[in-house]
Amino acid sequence: MSDTSTASEPPVVVGVDGSENSLRALEWALGAAERLGSPLVVAHVRSDALQLGAARIASLGPSPELPDTVVEGVRNVVERGGHRIPVRYESLDGSVTDALPSAARGARILVTGSRGHGGFASLLLGSTSRTLAGTAPCPLVVVPHEARAVVLEGGAEAGRVLLGLHTEETPDEVVAFAFEAAHHRGVALEAVTAFRLPPQPSAVAVAPAPALQVPPPLPLANEAEDLVREVRRRQEERLRPFAARRPGVRLVPTVVPSDAAGLLVEGSRDAGLLVVGRHHRHRLGSLFVGSVAHAVLHHAHCPVAVVPPVPQP
């Protein structure tokens, strides 16, 4: 059953290939589309063999289009669920890494599984999802495979939204996406800002011989506390306008002198969604995925949203 009132909204697009991992992504995308009041586009890029066969048949003259068995199978799964949103099914040609970004132009989000057919079971992230993280024209949500995912009490909708925030470098659109996600899911938003303590000046001195090298001294306690307070102040300033626009979202600010990627991966164990930026504004090249985004895509236990920056004019 569908509700045509949502048909004019930007869609949620999900890439499927019939694998168990892509069906997990489909389930997540259906829930997201219903929360957002958006239609869903289920996109399947046909195999090279099917594309070649269709081209050969077409060259012989007018003929019925070859059926896409993956799309038909997924259609049956969706219809059995009785979802109340418009769903459109598309069979695409070309490479997956070209066809899905094209299908997702103007979409609210693009959703994929972390691995598809043909991937090695030992791999944490497939090559397709890794490439899409750097090329998707809209936020990309990568749903982890079953072996890596955690099961939360309350189901897939439970768990807070976790935001990886660098106070100077994370683009506004990443922060806004996290607030909107928490709002629509009805959960808290934890904003995590991690940073490294600078070494003491004596730590940069070069020892005259390896035998004389000693571990660098830790910063004095009061200096570390001052730095934490300063970072906490900058974080509060950065989040204030977004919190004002979404006053119903319970904000949990976290400032920790630690490794950002490791902290976010550990926090993802009881989170419902982890949000990071694709890369920082000062870095060049739309295909670049930052080190934190790269790490959490490989190791997070919950779905990861990688939000691209707004294209510069």
Side-chain angles (χ1 to χ4, degrees), residues 224-237:
E225 291 172 1
D226 289 345
L227 185 55
V228 169
R229 279 194 293 269
E230 174 59 21
V231 175
R232 187 175 289 122
R233 182 192 64 79
R234 293 201 301 263
Q235 187 200 63
E236 193 278 332
E237 286 183 353

Side-chain angles (χ1 to χ4, degrees), residues 264-287:
L264 291 172
V265 168
E266 185 60 30
S268 72
R269 292 183 182 276
D270 57 358
L273 180 66
L274 169 56
V275 180
V276 294
R278 177 184 292 172
H279 58 77
H280 302 314
R281 288 198 185 280
H282 73 279
R283 290 174 175 162
L284 301 177
S286 62
L287 303 185

Side-chain angles (χ1 to χ4, degrees), residues 141-280:
V141 175
V142 178
V143 179
H145 55 82
E146 188 173 12
R148 202 174 86 206
V150 293
V151 178
L152 300 174
E153 284 190 28
E157 308 306 313
R160 72 201 185 288
V161 172
L162 195 60
L163 167 65
L165 176 67
H166 189 294
T167 56
E168 281 79 34
E169 297 177 1
T170 300
D172 285 350
E173 48 268 28
V174 180
V175 185
F177 181 92
F179 270 89
E180 289 302 305
H183 166 72
H184 287 288
R185 296 170 70 89
V187 298
L189 169 61
E190 181 180 2
V192 176
T193 300
F195 63 96
R196 293 190 180 279
L197 294 171
Q200 290 295 301
S202 58
V204 300
V206 178
L212 299 178
Q213 292 178 354
V214 294
L218 295 175
L220 297 177
N222 60 338
E223 293 178 350
E225 291 172 1
D226 289 345
L227 185 55
V228 169
R229 279 194 293 269
E230 174 59 21
V231 175
R232 187 175 289 122
R233 182 192 64 79
R234 293 201 301 263
Q235 187 200 63
E236 193 278 332
E237 286 183 353
R238 186 70 198 283
L239 295 172
R240 188 184 303 134
F242 300 94
R245 288 195 288 270
R246 284 298 185 193
V249 172
R250 184 169 69 88
L251 180 61
V252 181
T254 300
V255 174
V256 182
S258 180
D259 170 67
L263 197 63
L264 291 172
V265 168
E266 185 60 30
S268 72
R269 292 183 182 276
D270 57 358
L273 180 66
L274 169 56
V275 180
V276 294
R278 177 184 292 172
H279 58 77
H280 302 314

